[in-house]
Amino acid sequence: MSEFDAIVVGGGPAGSSAAMRLASAGHNVLLVEKADPPGSKNVSGGVLWGNDLEAVIPDWQKTAPVERYVKAKGVGFLTKDSNIGLEFRSSLFDKNRAGHMVLRAKLDQWLVKKAKDMGAMVASGITVDRVAFDKGKAIGVEQDGDLITSDCVILAEGANPRVAIDSGLREPLNDKDVAIGVKEVIKLSEKTVNERFNLRDKEGFAGEYVLGFLPDQVEAGGFLYTNKETISAGVVISMKHLRENDRTYSFDIIEQFLEHPAIAPLVDGGSVEEYSAHMVQEGGIERVPKLFGNGYMIAGDAAGFSFSNGLVLQGMNYAIASGIAAADTLIEAKKGNGVSEESLAGYRKRLLDSYVLKDLYNFRGIDEVTWGKLPHRAIPNALEHIMKGLFIEQGVPKKHLYQLMTEALGESGIRTSDAVLEGYRMLRRM
Amino acid sequence: MIELALHLVVLIKVVPDGKEVFVDPVTFTLNRSMATNIINPADENALEAALQIKDQTDAKVTVMTMAPPFAEPFLMECMSRGADEAVLISDRAVAGSDTYPTSLTVAAAIKKMGDVDIVFAGEKTSDSSTGHVGPGVAEFIGAELASYSRKVTYENGYVTAERELENGIEEVRIPTPAVVTILTDSNDPRRATLRKKIDAMKRGIITWSLADINIPADWVGLRSSPTVVKKMLPFPRKDRKGEKIEKEKIPELIDNLVKSGVIRVEAE
Ligand SMILES: Cc1cc2nc3c(=O)[nH]c(=O)nc-3n(C[C@H](O)[C@H](O)[C@H](O)COP(=O)(O)OP(=O)(O)OC[C@H]3O[C@@H](n4cnc5c(N)ncnc54)[C@H](O)[C@@H]3O)c2cc1C
Ligand SMILES: Cc1cc2nc3c(=O)[nH]c(=O)nc-3n(C[C@H](O)[C@H](O)[C@H](O)COP(=O)(O)OP(=O)(O)OC[C@H]3O[C@@H](n4cnc5c(N)ncnc54)[C@H](O)[C@@H]3O)c2cc1C
């Protein structure tokens, strides 16, 4: 007999959710987390989108350590001099609080504690080495030469899935599949945050930016999220670009973002409280590995479940939803004929029925249009040209908008026919 | 239960992380409010020294601390590294104790165990650094003492300790029961393992009150502590020059450092 019904590797949102679900259903579950305290090394922007936590913590909206809720959402194209932006600030967000700013160090520790309170055994500060197999069935995990047995292993180890790779359960990552996120938490004061972003109480602002001004054709996106008294600011850079340009450093790019004339006043005078870097999975559906096998399932970032369309980066919601789906699959398997490859097949089905795999299928190939010259150079340049024509009085006869737009296409830096074609592809995929 | 050949006790103290503690310039007291807690660094080496004996000999290792319940996770950590048992001596009455009642209480707990062969303590703590408790315990339990030790071995009822002194190393051999105090950084503490951590969580921690070890409440605490800490002063601050050096100036910088005797350049 196994020592545990399940061993969950990784105490991020995916792992904690799986552990909570299993423990509250009365299963004997061990949650193993590398960091101590949990969450101390985890990075998100972080807006937690959706309401997936409700399934495991019904009152989470009231009790979770969230900083603010998204009251205003901004998108901006940055050129050297300008920010051409769009803002969606709405009281619709008051009733339906769709997004919450979180700091992972606090959130993850809280989630792991919840899992413990619900009856999971938690071992933090321990790194799992490998999944142990016997006759093709996962029988537990190996750590420092010891075998700890369980009926099922749920891998929820995040974007750098060493255990899955070292156990032969997924391919190593390619540069193309990952981006690097770099983030600073900048301390201001609650009052300053409120004033600069035009907020009250728990209201928050979440902004994403295309950094159209970077040298060496480097492509990166930036984000700015308000916490209670700090700002989370960061950039996501494609790994491919980092490798190809020797002169590009991630810390340089975040500095350039924070020194941009439209961004600098927002973070002015703040002190950096925290600096972190983390991998982001960008591979899309093509890179999702085999999700389950005899005695194991893979959830969250480790399975490649994250979504980015250049404007939002989401992963915590997919992590939570997939963690719960894995737990539910195991609960059902244990009620039936036990854990086997067939009984865990329900995991994939649950994900296909939910937004987790639906989104990944619907937005397949999106990385081809979110990275590229059109969004990262042509659109920002063209928009700037139009705005200049419309709003900067130059003492010359005014032009029609149509005329400005055709000129803007010329200014955009790519051929008009390519722009039209790529623009069409982009709209389709987004 | 099987009788194990040796019983080793390791004394630990939970201290604020020294990097995060500073002397309040106004009140001259220690400001620990920003600090996270850690196991006193020397005590990690004391535990490792005991575990190394356990690696060689059939032995049971007990970790023990006198502290409020916040110390529990740290005792757990010691078991996750290989200690077999953890004892927390926790009692409101001990609050404010200086090294005298602390040594007395710890000694009483060791006496209660009855079969202890070697007690390991840190050479000193990083927060108040008296270095009293190890020797104090030796006195109260009537054991031999080897202080400032960096390596300890056991054979046939005798402990051999390498003592690091100001002008050399001294090797001493003393009979058990013995107390050894271990130097900070004298070995490389092992990491916790999952197997041991699971076992530790299943076993849990043993908690003793003063009544459990037959110590009257008025023998301990602030009122039974002869020491009075009258004043604390911060070291005078030495401000750094904070000069910024351009890349091109690095050779010049190296020259200056050589000239001022900070560094020395040697030919390969
Ligand atoms: C810069 C940046 C910004 C982001 N912004 C957002 C955002 O705004 N909104 C959003 O929803 N998502 C965002 N994401 C994505 C999001 O952070 C991830 O999708 C999410 O954290 C995935 O959760 P997870 O539980 O799968 O993995 P993780 O959160 O990475 O957790 C994995 C855990 O496993 C542990 N672990 C790893 N290996 C082992 C091992 N061998 N043994 C034991 N433990 C191990 C790790 O320590 C970690 O705690 C962002 C990511 C980055 C990098
Ligand atoms: C700023 C400050 C100054 C102080 N000055 C004095 C003073 O001058 N004189 C005095 O008597 N007290 C003093 N104290 C009180 C002292 O901290 C406590 O008595 C403490 O329990 C033991 O002293 P220590 O930390 O110096 O231990 P040390 O004697 O330096 O510790 C040596 C070893 O003994 C063991 N040990 C120490 N404490 C415990 C414990 N509670 N449980 C188990 N094992 C333990 C550990 O192995 C440790 O490495 C002071 C406290 C503070 C905060």
Side-chain angles (χ1 to χ4, degrees):
Chain A
M1 232 197 68
S2 306
E3 200 170 341
F4 295 96
D5 293 326
I7 295 176
V8 180
V9 180
S16 297
S17 302
M20 282 188 271
R21 189 69 153 189
L22 286 165
S24 51
H27 289 287
N28 173 13
V29 46
L30 172 69
L31 175 63
V32 191
E33 164 55 42
K34 181 165 69 176
D36 187 27
S40 47
K41 294 187 187 119
N42 291 346
V43 185
S44 281
V47 183
L48 175 56
W49 293 103
N51 204 8
D52 303 273
L53 267 183
E54 200 168 88
V56 277
I57 311 172
D59 64 350
W60 79 275
Q61 293 241 19
K62 290 199 196 79
T63 54
V66 300
E67 298 286 315
R68 291 169 184 262
Y69 72 95
V70 178
K71 165 80 181 196
K73 173 86 206 166
V75 176
F77 289 91
L78 303 181
T79 64
K80 186 167 124 327
D81 296 305
S82 321
N83 168 21
I84 309 100
L86 190 68
E87 185 177 286
F88 180 46
R89 185 179 290 261
S90 172
S91 48
L92 292 172
F93 281 128
D94 297 334
K95 277 163 246 127
N96 177 14
R97 296 190 174 186
H100 296 264
M101 280 83 177
V102 296
L103 290 167
R104 290 292 300 277
K106 286 188 206 162
L107 180 74
D108 289 19
Q109 214 170 331
W110 184 78
L111 290 174
V112 167
K113 176 153 188 314
K114 282 273 168 195
K116 199 170 174 177
D117 293 346
M118 293 178 196
M121 182 181 266
V122 175
S124 51
I126 302 278
T127 305
V128 166
D129 299 327
R130 225 166 285 105
V131 178
F133 280 91
D134 184 35
K135 301 187 193 84
K137 182 184 187 305
I139 52 162
V141 301
E142 280 172 38
Q143 202 277 330
D144 199 31
D146 296 319
L147 166 68
I148 320 293
T149 58
S150 63
D151 291 347
C152 183
V153 177
I154 297 177
L155 289 179
E157 49 174 329
N160 189 9
R162 293 279 7 140
V163 176
I165 295 168
D166 292 348
S167 311
L169 303 181
R170 70 165 293 166
E171 302 272 300
L173 303 168
N174 292 322
D175 283 359
K176 192 177 150 301
D177 308 327
V178 292
I180 286 290
V182 187
K183 180 186 146 184
E184 286 180 8
V185 177
I186 300 166
K187 170 115 183 160
L188 292 164
S189 73
E190 188 171 352
K191 190 161 163 278
T192 311
V193 172
N194 285 347
E195 282 167 6
R196 289 188 186 171
F197 292 87
N198 197 7
L199 303 165
R200 272 184 308 206
D201 304 326
K202 295 252 154 212
E203 295 173 356
F205 168 83
E208 272 98 17
Y209 304 86
V210 170
L211 311 190
F213 60 90
L214 296 173
D216 300 330
Q217 299 301 317
V218 173
E219 292 168 11
F223 60 83
L224 210 59
Y225 303 142
T226 57
N227 302 314
K228 192 157 180 282
E229 47 193 25
T230 59
I231 291 176
S232 293
V235 293
V236 177
I237 315 150
S238 91
M239 189 69 133
K240 207 166 133 271
H241 282 102
L242 272 182
R243 287 271 163 92
E244 283 168 4
N245 293 286
D246 293 347
R247 291 193 292 143
T248 309
Y249 300 103
S250 49
F251 52 84
D252 254 4
I253 294 178
I254 189 169
E255 281 320 305
Q256 291 186 50
F257 173 50
L258 295 177
E259 282 165 13
H260 187 276
I263 304 297
L266 297 172
V267 295
D268 187 38
S271 55
V272 178
E273 245 189 10
E274 196 184 301
Y275 182 92
S276 53
H278 204 275
M279 236 185 233
V280 181
Q281 292 250 2
E282 293 249 322
I285 191 73
E286 285 83 9
R287 300 292 298 157
V288 168
K290 185 161 178 284
L291 293 171
F292 65 95
N294 195 355
Y296 75 89
M297 289 176 272
I298 308 181
D301 268 9
F305 296 154
S306 66
F307 173 77
S308 144
N309 62 7
L311 299 181
V312 293
L313 176 55
Q314 298 189 357
M316 286 186 276
N317 47 346
Y318 295 92
I320 295 164
S322 60
I324 293 173
D328 284 344
T329 307
L330 179 58
I331 292 168
E332 204 170 277
K334 294 216 116 204
K335 272 191 207 142
N337 292 330
V339 177
S340 64
E341 174 126 22
E342 295 79 66
S343 67
L344 297 187
Y347 177 46
R348 194 181 151 77
K349 201 174 160 305
R350 280 174 202 273
L351 295 174
L352 278 170
D353 288 342
S354 80
Y355 70 95
V356 177
L357 279 181
K358 282 210 173 92
D359 281 358
L360 279 173
Y361 274 111
N362 287 341
F363 291 93
R364 69 193 316 163
I366 191 159
D367 51 312
E368 287 167 26
V369 294
T370 50
W371 295 106
K373 283 216 171 66
L374 181 71
H376 283 268
R377 291 297 180 276
I379 294 178
N381 288 340
L383 285 174
E384 185 180 54
H385 184 81
I386 296 172
M387 294 298 157
K388 230 164 50 184
L390 285 176
F391 298 117
I392 301 187
E393 203 53 56
Q394 289 164 335
V396 294
K398 291 187 177 42
K399 294 171 181 169
H400 278 107
L401 185 57
Y402 179 75
Q403 195 183 356
L404 280 171
M405 284 174 75
T406 17
E407 272 179 22
L409 272 175
E411 291 286 313
S412 68
I414 62 174
R415 288 216 324 259
T416 308
S417 53
D418 288 350
V420 171
L421 207 72
E422 271 210 45
Y424 172 73
R425 277 213 306 167
M426 188 158 147
L427 288 175
R428 281 285 311 243
R429 298 219 172 149
M430 288 179 79
Chain B
M1 223 182 82
I2 325 154
E3 269 308 306
L4 290 162
L6 270 188
H7 189 182
L8 315 177
V9 171
V10 182
L11 303 180
I12 70 156
K13 185 182 175 186
V14 176
V15 296
D17 192 343
K19 289 181 276 246
E20 300 167 358
V21 178
F22 54 93
V23 177
D24 188 311
V26 180
T27 60
F28 294 133
T29 53
L30 281 190
N31 185 336
R32 311 171 185 223
S33 60
M34 310 286 278
T36 45
N37 287 319
I38 56 169
I39 299 172
N40 176 48
D43 302 352
E44 296 201 64
N45 300 111
L47 173 63
E48 178 59 31
L51 293 175
Q52 283 178 8
I53 291 183
K54 182 179 150 89
D55 290 341
Q56 305 295 327
T57 322
D58 200 8
K60 174 170 104 172
V61 174
T62 303
V63 276
M64 179 158 75
T65 189
M66 179 181 103
F70 76 79
E72 282 179 5
F74 300 93
L75 290 172
M76 273 294 179
E77 173 64 21
C78 293
M79 285 204 282
S80 306
R81 292 184 196 179
D84 301 279
E85 172 181 276
V87 175
L88 174 70
I89 308 166
S90 203
D91 201 306
R92 282 185 182 281
V94 302
S97 293
D98 71 0
T99 57
Y100 184 86
T102 301
S103 308
L104 185 75
T105 309
V106 168
I110 290 169
K111 281 191 203 152
K112 175 179 162 130
M113 292 173 189
D115 60 348
V116 176
D117 298 289
I118 315 172
V119 177
F120 293 78
E123 160 221 6
K124 61 176 191 305
T125 57
S126 61
D127 65 339
S128 43
S129 298
T130 64
H132 291 179
V133 175
V137 169
E139 195 60 33
F140 283 124
I141 64 171
E144 298 288 335
L145 170 73
S147 53
Y148 303 108
S149 303
R150 59 171 205 185
K151 195 169 187 328
V152 184
T153 50
Y154 169 83
E155 205 173 22
N156 289 335
Y158 282 88
V159 171
T160 306
E162 270 181 27
R163 303 182 64 229
E164 197 170 301
L165 306 177
E166 247 163 55
N167 39 19
I169 307 289
E170 181 186 86
E171 198 175 278
V172 296
R173 190 161 169 269
I174 52 176
T176 57
V179 174
V180 284
T181 70
I182 304 290
L183 292 169
T184 313
D185 289 336
S186 54
N187 54 33
D188 200 4
R190 67 195 64 188
R191 295 169 60 97
T193 74
L194 184 54
R195 171 83 277 152
K196 294 194 175 109
K197 193 152 207 152
I198 294 168
D199 293 347
M201 285 190 273
K202 287 185 180 161
R203 249 180 278 135
I205 287 166
I206 301 162
T207 304
W208 285 344
S209 65
L210 286 179
D212 290 323
I213 50 176
N214 300 319
I215 294 275
D218 60 357
W219 285 19
V220 297
L222 195 58
R223 277 192 299 153
S224 302
S225 295
T227 317
V228 179
V229 179
K230 289 183 72 176
K231 196 173 182 183
M232 284 212 291
L233 294 170
F235 281 125
R237 253 181 67 155
K238 234 183 163 180
D239 281 324
R240 290 168 202 273
K241 283 189 187 163
E243 277 173 49
K244 273 201 175 165
I245 310 280
E246 300 297 326
K247 218 191 261 168
E248 301 73 40
K249 296 249 171 94
I250 290 177
E252 197 181 309
L253 169 74
I254 293 177
D255 277 352
N256 281 337
L257 289 174
V258 173
K259 268 182 212 146
S260 53
V262 178
I263 59 170
R264 194 175 45 176
V265 179
E266 280 181 19
E268 295 231 331

